[in-house]
Amino acid sequence: MSIFTPTNQIRLTNVAVVRMKKAGKRFEIACYKNKVMSWRSGAEKDLDEVLQTHTVFVNVSKGQVAKRDDLSSAFGTEDLTEACTQILAKGELQVSDRERQSQLEHMFRDIATIVAEKCVNPETKRPYTVILIERAMKDIHFSVKANKSTKQQALEVIKQLQQSIQIQRAHMRLRFVLPARDGKRLKEKLRPLIKTVENEDFTEQLEMVCLIDPGCFRDIDELIRCETKGKGTLEVLSLKDVEEGDEKLE
Amino acid sequence: MGHTSLEKIIALQKKTPHIRNLCILAHVDHGKTTLADCLVASNGIISSRLAGKLRYLDSREDEQIRGITMKSSAISLHYTTGGNEYLINLIDSPGHVDFSSEVSTAVRLCDGAIVVVDAVEGVCPQTQVVLRQAWLENIRPVLVINKIDRLIVELKLTSQEAYTHLQKILEQVNAVTGSLFTSKVLEERAEKDAEAQSSCTENGSGDQVYDWSAGLEETDDSDLYFSPDRGNVVFASAIDGWGFSIHQFAEMYSQKMGIRSSVLLKTLWGDFYLNAKAKKIMKGAQSKGKKPLFVQLVLDNIWSMYDAVVTRRDKEKVEKMVTSLGLKVMSRDLRHSDPKVLLSAICSQWLPVSQAVLSMVCEKLPSPAEISAERVEKLMSVGARRFDSLPEQTQELKKAFLDCSADETAPVIVFVSKMFAVDSKALPQNKQRPLTQEEIAQRREQARQRHAERQAANQSAENALCAQTEALSVKTAVEEDNKEHFVAFARVYSGVLRKGQKVFVLGPKYDPSLALRALPEGCSAADVLPSVPHMACCTVDSLYLLMGRELEELDEVPTGNVLGIGGMEEFILKSATISTSPSCPPFTPLNFEATPIVRVAVEPKHPSEMPKLVRGMRLLNQADPCAEVLIQETGEHVLVTAGEVHLQRCLDDLRERFAKIEISASKPIIPFRETVIRPPKVDMVNEDMGKQQKVAVIHQVKEEQTKYPEGVQVDSTGLVTLTTPNKMATVGVRAIPLPEEVTRLLEDNVELIRTMEQFSLFAWEDKTLDINQKILENIQEFKVKLESNLQGRKWRGAVERIWAFGPRRCGPNILLNSVEGYRRPSVWQCLEREKETEKAEIRDFDNSIASGFQLATLSGPMCEEPLMGVCFSVETWDMKLSAPLAQQDSIDEDSQTAEPNIDNQNESSDTHETNAAGSSVDCYGPFSGQLIAAMKEACRYAFQAKPQRLMAAMYTCEIMATAEVLGRVYAVLSKREGRVLQEEMKEGTDMFIIKAVLPVAESFGFADEIRKRTSGLASPQLVFSHWEVISSDPFWVPTTEEEYLHFGEKADSSNQALKYMNAVRRRKGLYVEEKIVEHAEKQRTLSKNK
């Protein structure tokens, strides 16, 4: 029969609980919100700024403290701080609002940066700036998915952006040298994969410099390797075909 | 005076000696536009009541709102004096420092200038600037001291005090002119000395006689100065509409007092007084404590007038004065509650400012025909070229300039100083004019037809479609109308420019001597000619008379006039010379006092409107003489303007006129570089390192562990060894800082490196690239220089062992081959073509290592910026490949080494293990990919094993400042991490020239701040100069006891490098090590009430 008097209760407000199951027991610690991620990334170095109390609980909300025996069997130590750091490092946690927000923001930026790096304005052959891409992403109401890699999402975004602004993957510049007998046959097969042919020289062997979409690289590579049985060579001249240097508008 | 008709002006344009081209120059807010208003009002274009309030020549909306002029605009006025009729082409110019380019465009077209000075503020920075500009363009100035009413009403000076004040101002102005004069004389003197010295040394004569006199004594400068008795000074109050020169009063009093006007003219200004008893004018008013003549006769009258009208509002006295002056004032003005109205009504009749100014202008300023030979030579000789070096035919044109004749035979020479955009609605062709009776009838007929059509359309659907297309076509027509038209702001220097005439348009870089060689003798613009660089032929579309915001169409413009030319936007970018003779040289480029320095990145609000923005920026570039626009490699569209106000105007123009879209401007992206340095010897508090014991910090131990993942071994010397995930290959890489000179050398010789790279690429395929001897020599020289800079044990034979340059194969980083027992063809093989005896073998996957290096140098580990000045030395490279696999790869790598027997083997093995080895066979397939990644990672870790530093781009900045603001310049510089390199005084002036370096990252708003802090007396010029290592370590945390004492545990005093690094990382969306919440306890508690 407990009497609810304010004096004999320590209420933990603003709690983020980190849980861990070890040796068949459940352990919890009480942390401050928005701090656990910082601790894990190494930005926060003061343990007291992370932990509300150096106590290991079985259930934080009920205030049940873990038993000493359980602790030593699970962590091999009776030192509470040591147990806390272990739980902090490996336990599962609730991601707090600000943490999630900043994580999504980072990912959004990251995606925009990747898109800006990979793409150009087809008219000017110059890249877009990250800020512009971000704005375009917001315009098409793109939302970040936290559990997908940024690169994967960036590739999706490019497809979606193409409907609203003038954008395309920066072309790759390739050169391949094919033996004469394969040349003719292969050329027909390669044609649909190539965007523009810059230079073509068909004397004793077929030599071609062309621009391709980076997505087609694997196919072209496969095609040339299999069809010529390793006699054709493929060389990447530049990963990204963009204008270099500053240009004065006149 | 009534409105002057167009015909009258056209007639006047033909009388060259009676034309005056002049501009009004002054500091901002000294009353240029108000004065112009008064002059405009004298022609009846605006009401004299509104003069000074309307600011007629400020036709832009933002000019009216802000109350400053932003562009130069011209108007033609008519003035009659003494039976002579004059045409005055007046150009009003802006006074704000940001628009000094507009002043340059105005000054070039004029022969004279009215310099306006505020009677209260005196000589201000821009006054000095405009005086200098007028001086450099060799045009003659006259002075108007404006706002005398402020001395009376605001400062409440007595007439005696006002006189001394005015004297001081005059002295200041003359001091500026004097210093301009002395610096010019000194310059000439220096030139002469240099010549004399060179001739001396040539002659080898032993004894030299030095002449220490500065040469100032010999040169007469008296006609340069402003003085009322010379008649080139007018005292005025443009807002109240009065102004006078001493002439007027001299004449007035000579009748009254019976003293000859010539005597009065000489004595009215100066230390003279009237001895009432003797009726004589005596010298030495000041020493005797008498009132000078000027005070007694001139200022006192004005003072009493102001006293009566404004201060005391004494009606009777006013009436008395009015009648004694013989003026008529309308009773409406007399009754007006605002005394200013009455005052201007009286004054504008008594001493009309337009009269005073215009008569002075007509008398003192030269007509276009009186252009001086010196000025012509200066205009015609571009840059440092001497006039004598121009082709003969060009020199002959000088005569045409001097004659300034409007003959049919005279060659047409026109200079276009700027292009300005005009709404098509404002063009006279499109202006609405009253319709004639027939036209009205015609329209009625059309309307009736349309009505009938519409009725028919209602009946059939087909017609509806038809109507729709019609509507569409109407719409396109409307859009066409909204297009901006450009009008060239120009002046005819010789000949007559006619509508429909064929002329040459010569760009600023046009060279007459080249063209004369290319073109047949005596050709004209009408012929079909071979194309010459910077020259175009075109037909003059339309000519306009500039009347402020209005344009009047003209058929021809004779010499000496300011005009507008339409339809030139295709041919002229900003300025140009138009001529009928191809031998005409382009005029010297305008000298701009302010170079564009404020940089912003401009972006459309909606990304899809990019093309509109680009188009708009092109137009803006054409319309503004000083703005620059460029697209940077990063894809940013950068707008460079002269100052913050100018920037604002450019953005407004883009938004409302040229692009018509919403745009946003932001700080431009600032580039950084990453590098490593030698381990520093001292720590942050300048203590010797290694001697003290480090205070153990928990987090540091933790960091050391997390820095390197598994599989990476780092030894104490910084050698990083990394194995590919399939355990096939191991690379060992070490990062070494390059000496500074080497980095610079590499940067300067990018082109050579690119050529070398191309050569080895061709050599790789058994082809040869022909490089000419000159470049080979350069490469040889480059190599020798590199060798001389890479001295010491560490670098022995390093130059020969260079594997590649990076990033992009030509950057300032080096990949060094230090693998034992691996000799590969050197990058210098283009030099050793002849002596190539033993062919060095290229190992398999050589390319992968180089690619890994390229990737690593392109984006460093600190904030993904390119590396600079780092040498990666590959020390070990072990491959544990199964034989056939290696052979297959070698075939793919370089087919030249593939021998037939291996080829067979390859084919057979291929059939066996198509699937198993298929993916690893190809050189860009997984294995080589792994090697690239491994090499890249190894480079990155090797980089991190060394003390890393950030490099900031630096501007050199040259600041001209007067002595009194020197301290403030230094304050601004040090606040922005700038460093002063040198400071010296400019000879002959009181200006100091300060040279400093400043990080680009801190330069945003720098120019503006320095201008504000020094009230415009110092103006910086920023030019990118070099990259500089930021000395602070971005990863630094206090470790020693002293550092703890000095910086505290958190070391939260600002770390410049860390600040930059985090800003870049945040911009790129990379991880930034910072806490989301600084203090856990201080978060808002969102608990339920329990």
Side-chain angles (χ1 to χ4, degrees):
Chain A
M1 195 65 189
S2 63
I3 304 159
F4 282 92
T5 48
T7 44
N8 62 7
Q9 277 191 13
I10 305 165
R11 280 211 174 274
L12 300 173
T13 54
N14 234 352
V15 189
V17 178
V18 181
R19 291 191 186 83
M20 188 159 83
K21 266 193 173 169
K22 203 164 187 189
K25 293 274 183 324
R26 196 168 78 152
F27 298 103
E28 291 184 351
I29 48 171
C31 303
Y32 288 106
K33 279 192 170 150
N34 302 320
K35 275 294 186 186
V36 184
M37 297 278 262
S38 303
W39 171 264
R40 286 200 175 166
S41 68
E44 179 60 67
K45 281 139 194 159
D46 187 356
L47 190 58
D48 291 334
E49 284 280 299
V50 183
L51 287 183
Q52 298 241 7
T53 163
H54 292 245
T55 318
V56 179
F57 297 88
V58 175
N59 189 332
V60 170
S61 60
K62 285 183 182 161
Q64 293 167 341
V65 181
K67 293 195 177 78
R68 211 166 266 271
D69 299 345
D70 292 343
L71 271 182
S72 56
S73 69
F75 300 105
T77 172
E78 282 192 8
D79 181 14
L80 284 172
T81 312
E82 174 56 34
C84 281
T85 46
Q86 279 192 36
I87 297 172
L88 257 185
K90 293 192 182 116
E92 53 188 82
L93 77 155
Q94 309 164 331
V95 180
S96 311
D97 50 347
R98 303 263 294 273
E99 285 173 336
R100 172 151 288 130
Q101 189 195 341
S102 82
Q103 184 196 0
L104 290 181
E105 234 166 61
H106 272 303
M107 285 183 82
F108 193 80
R109 272 276 158 84
D110 203 10
I111 293 170
T113 315
I114 293 172
V115 173
E117 264 170 18
K118 283 190 188 303
C119 295
V120 290
N121 181 350
E123 276 177 19
T124 55
K125 288 264 185 270
R126 284 181 179 279
Y128 281 104
T129 56
V130 179
I131 305 164
L132 206 67
I133 297 287
E134 271 182 32
R135 205 174 287 150
M137 278 162 69
K138 278 190 190 126
D139 279 356
I140 58 165
H141 306 294
F142 176 78
S143 61
V144 183
K145 289 163 198 80
N147 50 2
K148 256 180 160 181
S149 84
T150 47
K151 194 168 174 182
Q152 212 175 351
Q153 293 186 62
L155 292 176
E156 281 167 23
V157 168
I158 294 171
K159 282 202 195 90
Q160 292 174 31
L161 283 179
Q162 269 161 350
Q163 281 145 19
S164 68
I165 59 173
Q166 291 257 357
I167 195 170
Q168 72 179 193
R169 289 282 298 272
H171 289 158
M172 246 175 160
R173 183 172 287 124
L174 291 185
R175 181 172 59 190
F176 42 79
V177 180
L178 303 174
R181 65 190 153 91
D182 297 326
K184 215 165 196 179
R185 189 165 45 87
L186 265 177
K187 219 171 98 178
E188 292 312 309
K189 288 191 180 173
L190 287 171
R191 186 121 296 170
L193 297 170
I194 294 171
K195 287 276 175 194
T196 43
V197 179
E198 286 191 333
N199 194 353
E200 196 177 333
D201 181 19
F202 204 158
T203 44
E204 47 207 276
Q205 49 189 3
L206 175 69
E207 192 187 328
M208 245 179 163
V209 178
C210 59
L211 295 178
I212 61 154
D213 194 277
C216 303
F217 178 71
R218 284 261 154 230
D219 300 340
I220 291 176
D221 183 32
E222 188 91 18
L223 200 66
I224 288 176
R225 213 179 34 189
C226 296
E227 296 283 334
T228 64
K229 305 216 170 60
K231 266 180 250 153
T233 54
L234 180 65
E235 188 193 349
V236 181
L237 292 179
S238 71
L239 287 169
K240 232 170 97 181
D241 175 43
V242 288
E243 292 281 321
E244 279 179 20
D246 297 355
E247 181 197 10
K248 251 190 177 167
L249 278 180
E250 277 183 355
Chain B
M1 208 186 285
H3 201 305
T4 318
S5 66
L6 187 60
E7 289 78 33
K8 180 100 192 163
I9 286 179
I10 290 171
L12 278 171
Q13 279 192 335
K14 295 197 173 110
K15 294 181 194 156
T16 317
H18 286 184
I19 298 173
R20 297 287 180 272
N21 294 318
L22 55 101
C23 51
I24 308 185
L25 308 172
H27 188 75
V28 65
D29 266 348
H30 279 194
K32 291 171 297 296
T33 311
T34 313
L35 182 64
D37 253 11
C38 292
L39 304 186
V40 170
S42 76
N43 258 271
I45 294 167
I46 58 170
S47 146
S48 55
R49 253 167 223 286
L50 285 175
K53 297 174 195 89
L54 191 63
R55 300 203 309 275
Y56 180 70
L57 291 178
D58 284 356
S59 50
R60 291 170 56 102
E61 196 185 340
D62 46 356
E63 284 180 320
Q64 289 286 351
I65 292 169
R66 281 187 176 236
I68 59 169
T69 313
M70 292 186 181
K71 54 158 194 359
S72 48
S73 47
I75 191 160
S76 294
L77 302 175
H78 166 238
Y79 176 68
T80 320
T81 176
N84 279 331
E85 284 186 293
Y86 289 95
L87 177 72
I88 290 167
N89 293 318
L90 183 75
I91 306 179
D92 182 28
S93 71
H96 195 277
V97 63
D98 284 6
F99 304 107
S100 53
S101 60
E102 293 277 346
V103 178
S104 315
T105 62
V107 167
R108 170 56 64 85
L109 302 185
C110 296
D111 304 303
I114 302 177
V115 178
V116 182
V117 177
D118 189 320
V120 177
E121 290 174 19
V123 174
C124 289
Q126 276 302 302
T127 318
Q128 295 182 2
V129 171
V130 295
L131 279 170
R132 186 158 63 229
Q133 264 180 338
W135 174 264
L136 289 176
E137 288 280 350
N138 276 2
I139 68 171
R140 204 177 294 166
V142 291
L143 186 69
V144 172
I145 299 185
N146 196 15
K147 302 196 185 179
I148 303 236
D149 59 313
R150 285 183 68 192
L151 295 180
I152 311 170
V153 183
E154 275 177 36
L155 299 189
K156 304 215 162 31
L157 298 182
T158 63
S159 52
Q160 178 79 41
E161 286 165 341
Y163 171 68
T164 42
H165 188 83
L166 290 175
Q167 255 184 331
K168 262 186 214 150
I169 287 170
L170 213 56
E171 270 163 27
Q172 285 172 355
V173 177
N174 282 334
V176 175
T177 328
S179 73
L180 286 173
F181 178 74
T182 39
S183 63
K184 186 195 161 199
V185 169
L186 285 178
E187 221 168 83
E188 276 173 8
R189 177 100 194 140
E191 247 170 60
K192 228 187 275 171
D193 274 351
E195 270 172 39
Q197 230 163 40
S198 62
S199 66
C200 266
T201 45
E202 274 166 32
N203 296 341
S205 60
D207 51 348
Q208 285 177 2
V209 182
Y210 284 103
D211 182 9
W212 290 106
S213 69
L216 281 172
E217 296 80 16
E218 301 152 30
T219 340
D220 182 38
D221 58 345
S222 59
D223 60 326
L224 288 171
Y225 295 121
F226 299 105
S227 167
D229 51 338
R230 277 176 193 287
N232 56 8
V233 179
V234 161
F235 302 92
S237 165
I239 194 95
D240 289 339
W242 59 266
F244 62 89
S245 62
I246 292 201
H247 280 257
Q248 283 166 293
F249 275 93
E251 265 159 44
M252 215 184 283
Y253 282 108
S254 67
Q255 292 162 355
K256 264 191 193 169
M257 307 199 311
I259 302 174
R260 266 184 297 131
S261 69
S262 58
V263 176
L264 263 180
L265 201 59
K266 273 186 194 145
T267 53
L268 207 47
W269 179 261
D271 200 18
F272 300 98
Y273 72 99
L274 186 70
N275 192 331
K277 278 180 202 161
K279 284 251 173 194
K280 258 190 174 172
I281 294 169
M282 316 276 273
K283 220 179 164 188
Q286 216 167 9
S287 55
K288 287 176 189 154
K290 304 268 187 185
K291 262 189 189 171
L293 212 52
F294 186 71
V295 177
Q296 194 182 2
L297 299 184
V298 182
L299 291 185
D300 274 352
N301 288 328
I302 294 167
W303 254 248
S304 64
M305 160 93 75
Y306 267 85
D307 186 50
V309 179
V310 182
T311 324
R312 282 197 285 141
R313 298 198 178 196
D314 189 340
K315 274 215 174 122
E316 280 169 36
K317 200 174 174 197
V318 170
E319 266 168 47
K320 226 161 84 191
M321 282 171 105
V322 168
T323 45
S324 74
L325 287 170
L327 307 174
K328 274 186 197 137
V329 178
M330 278 195 279
S331 56
R332 189 179 60 180
D333 290 335
L334 272 174
R335 282 199 309 270
H336 206 284
S337 59
D338 186 6
K340 281 269 176 189
V341 175
L342 176 60
L343 186 77
S344 63
I346 299 171
C347 291
S348 57
Q349 285 185 56
W350 179 35
L351 299 166
V353 66
S354 57
Q355 175 76 26
V357 172
L358 292 179
S359 69
M360 168 173 77
V361 161
C362 292
E363 260 173 57
K364 294 294 165 192
L365 295 184
S367 78
E370 296 164 39
I371 189 165
S372 71
E374 192 190 353
R375 186 170 175 213
V376 172
E377 283 189 17
K378 213 166 168 183
L379 285 178
M380 286 171 76
S381 34
V382 179
R385 276 186 79 171
R386 300 282 295 250
F387 181 71
D388 317 329
S389 68
L390 291 169
E392 224 167 272
Q393 283 142 303
T394 310
Q395 291 198 26
E396 277 167 21
L397 278 179
K398 185 180 166 189
K399 213 176 133 283
F401 268 102
L402 292 175
D403 285 354
C404 198
S405 77
D407 272 352
E408 295 299 305
T409 51
V412 176
I413 301 169
V414 177
F415 181 70
V416 177
S417 74
K418 71 163 181 173
M419 303 290 284
F420 62 96
V422 178
D423 258 346
S424 55
K425 270 177 240 144
L427 289 179
Q429 293 101 310
N430 307 332
K431 215 181 284 176
Q432 283 199 336
R433 64 202 139 85
L435 298 172
T436 56
Q437 205 65 39
E438 293 135 48
E439 277 176 320
I440 292 172
Q442 207 177 350
R443 285 212 178 177
R444 195 178 296 146
E445 188 59 35
Q446 273 177 355
R448 202 173 293 145
Q449 263 179 13
R450 226 175 291 145
H451 186 67
E453 267 171 31
R454 211 173 299 142
Q455 278 188 332
N458 283 342
Q459 290 161 357
S460 68
E462 271 174 54
N463 283 14
L465 221 149
C466 196
Q468 231 169 25
T469 51
E470 200 179 345
L472 260 175
S473 67
V474 168
K475 213 186 236 170
T476 50
V478 168
E479 269 169 26
E480 199 96 315
D481 275 356
N482 281 337
K483 226 180 90 185
E484 293 290 332
H485 286 261
F486 279 95
V487 173
F489 193 57
R491 173 183 160 177
V492 188
Y493 281 86
S494 162
V496 182
L497 189 65
R498 283 200 175 75
K499 204 169 162 179
Q501 197 171 22
K502 280 262 189 185
V503 287
F504 292 113
V505 178
L506 314 171
K509 284 184 196 144
Y510 170 76
D511 188 354
S513 54
L514 270 179
L516 285 174
R517 243 175 278 142
L519 299 175
E521 189 81 18
C523 59
S524 76
D527 306 336
V528 182
L529 297 169
S531 74
V532 176
H534 306 294
M535 185 174 97
C537 299
C538 76
T539 318
V540 177
D541 246 6
S542 42
L543 299 171
Y544 303 110
L545 175 69
L546 304 170
M547 292 297 279
R549 64 191 79 175
E550 322 239 321
L551 298 169
E552 302 282 354
E553 206 159 11
L554 295 176
D555 286 329
E556 58 172 34
V557 180
T559 179
N561 281 295
V562 175
L563 78 159
I565 309 170
M568 286 287 183
E569 53 261 48
E570 305 273 306
F571 306 101
I572 303 176
L573 179 65
K574 285 183 176 187
S575 71
T577 313
I578 296 176
S579 177
T580 49
S581 154
S583 59
C584 180
F587 280 40
T588 39
L590 299 166
N591 59 67
F592 291 131
E593 286 288 326
T595 43
I597 32 175
V598 175
R599 296 166 74 96
V600 287
V602 183
E603 273 172 0
K605 272 266 157 60
H606 304 289
S608 54
E609 292 173 328
M610 206 63 172
K612 276 188 191 168
L613 178 76
V614 174
R615 207 184 63 101
M617 286 179 87
R618 264 177 227 278
L619 290 177
L620 176 73
N621 184 41
Q622 195 168 22
D624 197 305
C626 197
E628 273 177 29
V629 290
L630 44 108
I631 305 179
Q632 284 194 316
E633 201 172 321
T634 50
E636 284 176 300
H637 290 70
V638 174
L639 175 64
V640 197
T641 60
E644 227 75 337
V645 184
H646 185 208
L647 170 70
Q648 209 54 49
R649 197 201 77 179
C650 286
L651 291 179
D652 282 348
D653 268 355
L654 263 183
R655 259 181 221 127
E656 277 145 31
R657 298 184 77 168
F658 299 131
K660 294 198 177 110
I661 53 168
E662 278 192 73
I663 51 170
S664 60
S666 58
K667 253 181 158 177
I669 294 170
I670 296 143
F672 284 97
R673 294 284 183 272
E674 300 179 15
T675 191
V676 289
I677 56 161
R678 286 208 195 94
K681 296 257 172 7
V682 290
D683 64 9
M684 285 293 280
V685 281
N686 271 336
E687 293 281 335
D688 214 350
M689 269 197 174
K691 282 187 184 167
Q692 328 128 336
Q693 66 195 97
K694 299 226 166 174
V695 179
V697 185
I698 312 159
H699 61 255
Q700 274 208 316
V701 182
K702 190 179 168 185
E703 217 169 82
E704 287 300 321
Q705 289 164 349
T706 53
K707 209 163 167 183
Y708 305 105
E710 277 175 70
V712 182
Q713 291 146 22
V714 185
D715 71 359
S716 56
T717 56
L719 180 72
V720 172
T721 340
L722 198 88
T723 312
T724 54
N726 63 359
K727 307 273 187 277
M728 290 293 198
T730 309
V731 282
V733 180
R734 185 198 305 278
I736 311 163
L738 281 174
E740 211 173 296
E741 299 80 38
V742 176
T743 316
R744 201 169 310 134
L745 208 60
L746 290 174
E747 265 208 309
D748 294 343
N749 291 302
V750 166
E751 280 308 310
L752 286 183
I753 297 174
R754 211 170 268 157
T755 322
M756 279 155 54
E757 182 62 36
Q758 235 164 15
F759 185 87
S760 18
L761 208 72
F762 272 79
W764 195 51
E765 280 171 17
D766 273 350
K767 282 186 226 161
T768 47
L769 178 74
D770 283 323
I771 304 174
N772 73 29
Q773 204 55 38
K774 187 91 191 288
I775 294 176
L776 275 182
E777 273 166 29
N778 285 347
I779 292 176
Q780 183 64 43
E781 196 186 332
F782 169 51
K783 189 182 172 189
V784 171
K785 269 192 201 157
L786 262 187
E787 270 163 359
S788 69
N789 277 318
L790 287 175
Q791 296 283 339
R793 193 171 51 82
K794 200 166 51 169
W795 297 109
R796 190 166 299 149
V799 176
E800 285 301 328
R801 283 187 286 128
I802 291 176
W803 192 330
F805 300 96
R808 297 201 179 94
R809 297 165 196 267
C810 54
N813 301 291
I814 291 177
L815 182 66
L816 216 56
N817 172 20
S818 313
V819 182
E820 258 176 68
Y822 176 39
R823 277 204 65 213
R824 64 184 300 283
S826 95
V827 289
W828 309 103
Q829 53 187 325
C830 53
L831 294 176
E832 303 150 359
R833 204 176 338 175
E834 296 85 23
K835 49 186 173 178
E836 197 174 337
T837 45
E838 44 172 334
K839 192 163 176 170
E841 197 79 353
I842 299 182
R843 215 152 133 183
D844 311 330
F845 298 110
D846 175 277
N847 208 12
S848 301
I849 296 286
S851 302
F853 161 75
Q854 302 291 358
L855 284 177
T857 48
L858 192 62
S859 57
M862 275 154 86
C863 49
E864 304 293 330
E865 292 282 305
L867 303 190
M868 187 170 178
V870 185
C871 170
F872 288 107
S873 158
V874 183
E875 313 225 320
T876 55
W877 181 19
D878 302 321
M879 304 273 276
K880 285 180 242 157
L881 281 181
S882 53
L885 206 61
Q887 275 161 354
Q888 279 162 17
D889 280 322
S890 74
I891 294 155
D892 282 287
E893 269 297 305
D894 40 18
S895 45
Q896 61 186 31
T897 54
E899 287 155 38
N901 59 342
I902 300 180
D903 209 345
N904 293 337
Q905 197 185 344
N906 171 27
E907 263 174 39
S908 60
S909 69
D910 223 30
T911 48
H912 284 302
E913 32 177 53
T914 14
N915 289 333
S919 55
S920 63
V921 164
D922 176 59
C923 92
Y924 296 103
F927 181 67
S928 67
Q930 277 175 29
L931 193 58
I932 291 175
M935 179 61 192
K936 181 187 165 196
E937 287 307 306
C939 284
R940 282 179 86 120
Y941 289 126
F943 183 89
Q944 280 173 316
K946 292 280 171 178
Q948 316 164 52
R949 291 292 183 272
L950 215 56
M951 287 178 102
M954 301 298 270
Y955 277 135
T956 49
C957 116
E958 215 164 87
I959 309 171
M960 287 248 277
T962 50
E964 58 260 36
V965 294
L966 220 51
R968 275 178 245 159
V969 170
Y970 274 74
V972 175
L973 269 175
S974 64
K975 188 179 138 199
R976 289 180 176 258
E977 318 270 331
R979 209 172 59 235
V980 175
L981 299 179
Q982 62 171 25
E983 171 199 306
E984 59 181 26
M985 199 159 178
K986 199 179 174 192
E987 213 173 314
T989 62
D990 59 343
M991 299 290 262
F992 282 86
I993 299 177
I994 303 160
K995 256 197 181 165
V997 286
L998 178 86
V1000 174
E1002 302 287 334
S1003 70
F1004 192 73
F1006 168 74
D1008 215 52
E1009 187 181 349
I1010 216 161
R1011 248 189 233 154
K1012 266 180 206 152
R1013 292 286 305 267
T1014 61
S1015 34
L1017 284 170
S1019 51
Q1021 311 243 352
L1022 299 172
V1023 186
F1024 172 76
S1025 72
H1026 64 287
W1027 295 93
E1028 197 171 282
V1029 177
I1030 300 173
S1031 59
S1032 54
D1033 179 1
F1035 298 108
W1036 177 81
V1037 277
T1039 45
T1040 64
E1041 237 164 303
E1042 276 85 1
E1043 284 177 336
Y1044 266 111
L1045 275 177
H1046 200 274
F1047 296 98
E1049 193 180 353
K1050 284 197 171 159
D1052 31 19
S1053 58
S1054 68
N1055 179 342
Q1056 199 66 21
L1058 183 67
K1059 204 177 83 189
Y1060 290 151
M1061 189 180 84
N1062 279 348
V1064 176
R1065 293 191 72 108
R1066 211 165 288 136
R1067 192 188 80 216
K1068 291 189 175 173
L1070 301 169
Y1071 172 71
V1072 181
E1073 189 179 281
E1074 64 178 358
K1075 301 160 195 170
I1076 300 162
V1077 177
E1078 185 63 37
H1079 301 288
E1081 283 282 18
K1082 287 185 183 168
Q1083 294 182 79
R1084 215 176 83 182
T1085 310
L1086 292 171
S1087 64
K1088 286 166 229 146
N1089 275 337
K1090 276 183 196 168

